Amino acid sequence: MKKFIALLLVAVMTLTMFTACGSTDDGGEAATDATVFKMGFDAEYPPYSYMADDGTYTGFDIEMAQAVCKELGWEIELIPIDWDAKDAELNSGAIDCIWSGFTINGREDDYAWSVPYVDNSQVILTKGDSGIATPADLAGKKVGVQIGTSALELLQEGGKCADLAATFGELLTFNSYNTAFVELEAGSVDAVAIDIGVAKYQVNSRDEGAYVILDEAIATEQYGVGFRVADTDLRDQIQNAMLKLVVDGTYAELAEKYELTDFICLQAGTTENAVDAIEEEPAAE
Amino acid sequence: MKILEINNCKKQFGDLEVLKDISLSVEQGQVISIIGPSGSGKSTLLRCATLLETMDGGDLIYLGQYAAKDDGNGTAVYASDQELKQIRMNFGLVFQNFNLFPHYSVLKNIMEAPVLVQKRDKAEVKAEAMELLRKMGLEDKADAYPYQLSGGQQQRVSIARALAMKPNILFFDEPTSALDPELTGEILKVIRDLAAEKMTMVIVTHEMAFARDVSDHIIFMDGGVIVEQGDPQQIINDPKEERTKAFLSRF
Amino acid sequence: MTFATMLEQMSTGMLRTVGIFVLTLIFSMPLGMLVAFARMSKNRIIKNIARIYISVLRGTPLMLQLLVVYFAPFYIWGANIGGYRFAAVIIGFALNYAAYFAEIYRGGIESIPKGQYEAAAVLGYTKSQTFMRIVLPQVAKNIMPAVTNEVITLVKDTSLAFTLAYQEVFTIGKQIAAAQTSFMPFVIAGVFYYIANAVVAFVMEIFEKKMNYYR
């Protein structure tokens, strides 16, 4: 019994020590402070959210979120997350939203969504010399896709593009797109199914003509900011600030900076429509 | 003066009665040998006497101090840990397998207990330890480790380790059984020398000639009882009991 | 991005990796000793608790354990887990490695012959003196190869902290690899793990040699 009590005591002490060093390590900011906005994102998702050369996080979504918080006078806390754990991170309150090229389609009821701010197509990326010109040419080929992305949802059984996927030789899943690109480069996959924004970033950052994007997209979809279903107030605050940034041109500027001009779907003139659309949304929920 | 007294010692392992009502007393300076076939209980008796096993019933008394006292219903009631710790200082035990501490040098094997347990002066203990090693003919092995020694040398170190505690009585549990035959002689000589110095000893052994020559008294045990005991010459050369005769005829 | 910048970016991650490594050892090695004692306890309840603990922590993926440690306070008590990420990583690793160390210690302790305890008892050593002076030094020597194995595995396992998005060298490496469309960060991470393990192997060899003065 003595040993058991000693065991318990040490366990408690150990835990206390952990908590102590944990809080000092993270700077001990008052995480409950309402003016701190905890933005959760995938740090491996350029150009939306990724690590810049100076080691800070940047990207279209990050800069938008920073601008939104500036607009609201809030402090932003950037929290990179593991994409597979995104729902647990969000529900547990470790983050306040998922803002990282997050596809609305198919998840409409799972989150409180902002207005869609990017219209994103799912495309096929291959090597320039692959001889693949249309999705139909993928018959018998190996196609790579990242786990947990919309491309996979479209292609897997029951998805909208399952019929197309059925013609593939093999559908390979990867933990990160970067791994898929390495495989593509190495020739062990023939094509990668991917969001067009990411695809363009890849094409432009590599040798010209090394990779091509097929003209025919396999699907189109929209990105939004996802909040906990109950957090509609927070969603509204963030969204109103987003819409202000649309009006003052910040949104378009950032889109240009990240070469996303073709995909943005909020325009100053149509903002009112967007706001109307949001105000109707609670009824739809 | 009685160094050790055991009265009506009983010990059972499960259903097996290993010691049935054994009584024994050892006077100062006396050398007693215990002989008998394996399984006769002689090692268990030694382990009870050295507190490595607890007796089920009976008394265990060192120099008048009770380590265990029979409560009258055949149950041995042991003294407090504090008292037992004190009582332990009365005896030393030399094991069949030496049980030296392999990570300690010969000198540290001998010195640590007197310094650590008896809180004696380190320099004084060291001088005594060196003297003991000289007696054992091992003065040049002080810094060696047990693995570097022969079995006979290791057993001599373990005797020195026991003697360094200055026990009133020294127990030997088949001290030569783990040794090659040509090495038993050096151990028996050491024990003989100790007997000549009037060291009180209880020796469990299979060396009949040695037991006869060195002992004042021999006990023959079989089946958990003392079958016969008495003068060494008489027991070894002219046993009275059939079981003793049968046992000795094998040697 | 130049190679030097990449290295600089990843060096903060390397420090964090070393942090996970060191703290995990500091907490798991003593905790493992407690679990080993509990596992060898004569009390059936304590013994079985330890047995279940070891069985669960060795029998489920470390990645899953990290998720449980991090998210359980919220799902069970609704606790705010902001700022708990690093602590969760260390707790998860320490609990997991304690289970492995416990079994190594137990094997080591049980390999010490009974005669060593008996010799110490007759000489009047207390139980704790016997353990600290006679048993433990011999156990330390016996278990050295197994501990070295475990420690080397730990160096590589630290990369599992990515599950909780803790920014150790592998997580940062993946992020840089994604941003720079380059394989180089993985090479850097690989070299880093290799060097770290070479250091570990070197240090453990010194320990082993130090204990080799007897057999």
Side-chain angles (χ1 to χ4, degrees), chain A residues 1 3-4 6-7 10 14-15 17-19 21-23 25-26 31-32 38 43-46 50-57 79-82 85 87-89 91-95 178 182 201-202 205-206, chain C residues 1 5 9 23 27 31 34-35 37-38 41 43 46 49 67 70-71 74-75 79-87 90-91 94 162-167 171-172 174-183 186:
Chain A
M1 198 59 205
K3 262 190 210 156
F4 181 65
L7 193 85
V10 171
T14 319
L15 273 171
M17 282 170 80
F18 280 141
T19 326
C21 61
S23 56
D25 189 82
D26 286 280
T32 46
K38 290 178 283 187
E44 297 172 44
Y45 209 62
Y50 61 98
M51 185 183 269
D53 285 9
D54 64 357
T56 59
Y57 294 111
I79 302 182
I81 57 168
D82 186 58
D87 294 315
E89 295 268 10
N91 292 330
S92 65
I95 57 174
N178 207 48
V182 171
Y201 183 89
Q202 291 293 334
S205 63
R206 293 183 194 257
Chain C
M1 188 186 252
T5 330
Q9 296 309 330
L23 287 173
F27 291 116
L31 184 61
L34 283 177
V35 176
F37 281 139
S41 167
N43 181 315
I46 294 175
I49 290 173
L67 287 170
Y70 182 48
F71 291 114
F74 167 75
Y75 284 111
N80 182 333
I81 59 172
Y84 168 63
R85 198 176 296 270
F86 176 67
I90 302 299
I91 292 173
F162 85 84
T163 317
L164 302 189
Y166 182 67
Q167 307 294 299
T171 306
I172 292 195
K174 286 202 306 172
Q175 292 170 4
I176 297 177
Q180 305 297 327
T181 58
S182 157
F183 193 73
F186 295 129

Side-chain angles (χ1 to χ4, degrees), chain C residues 143-155:
Chain C
I143 65 175
M144 217 55 192
V147 169
T148 304
N149 260 339
E150 214 50 54
V151 172
I152 283 176
T153 307
L154 171 61
V155 171

Side-chain angles (χ1 to χ4, degrees), chain A residues 25-43:
Chain A
D25 189 82
D26 286 280
E29 286 116 337
T32 46
D33 191 340
T35 60
V36 175
F37 178 63
K38 290 178 283 187
M39 180 208 184
F41 62 96
D42 178 357

Side-chain angles (χ1 to χ4, degrees), chain B residues 207-222:
Chain B
E207 302 280 339
M208 294 309 144
F210 167 74
R212 181 192 59 207
D213 297 344
V214 80
S215 319
D216 305 313
H217 189 86
I218 286 189
I219 293 173
F220 171 70
M221 279 180 72
D222 192 13

Side-chain angles (χ1 to χ4, degrees), chain B residues 47 88 100 103 112 165, chain C residues 116 118 121 123 125 133 213:
Chain B
R47 292 173 60 82
R88 267 199 191 90
L100 291 176
H103 57 305
E112 191 175 70
M165 299 293 281
Chain C
Q116 294 286 306
E118 293 184 346
L123 289 168
Y125 286 66
R133 290 167 180 271
Y213 65 88

Side-chain angles (χ1 to χ4, degrees), chain B residues 94-100 138 141 145-159 174-187:
Chain B
V94 174
F95 296 87
Q96 182 177 344
N97 296 314
F98 334 133
N99 292 336
L100 291 176
L138 292 169
K141 299 289 185 194
Y145 284 87
Y147 79 93
Q148 295 165 315
L149 305 180
S150 72
Q153 289 171 325
Q154 289 190 49
Q155 191 60 299
R156 277 182 280 158
V157 172
S158 90
I159 294 171
E174 304 191 22
T176 58
S177 294
L179 297 177
D180 294 334
E182 69 268 24
L183 296 178
T184 58
E186 57 187 78
I187 300 305

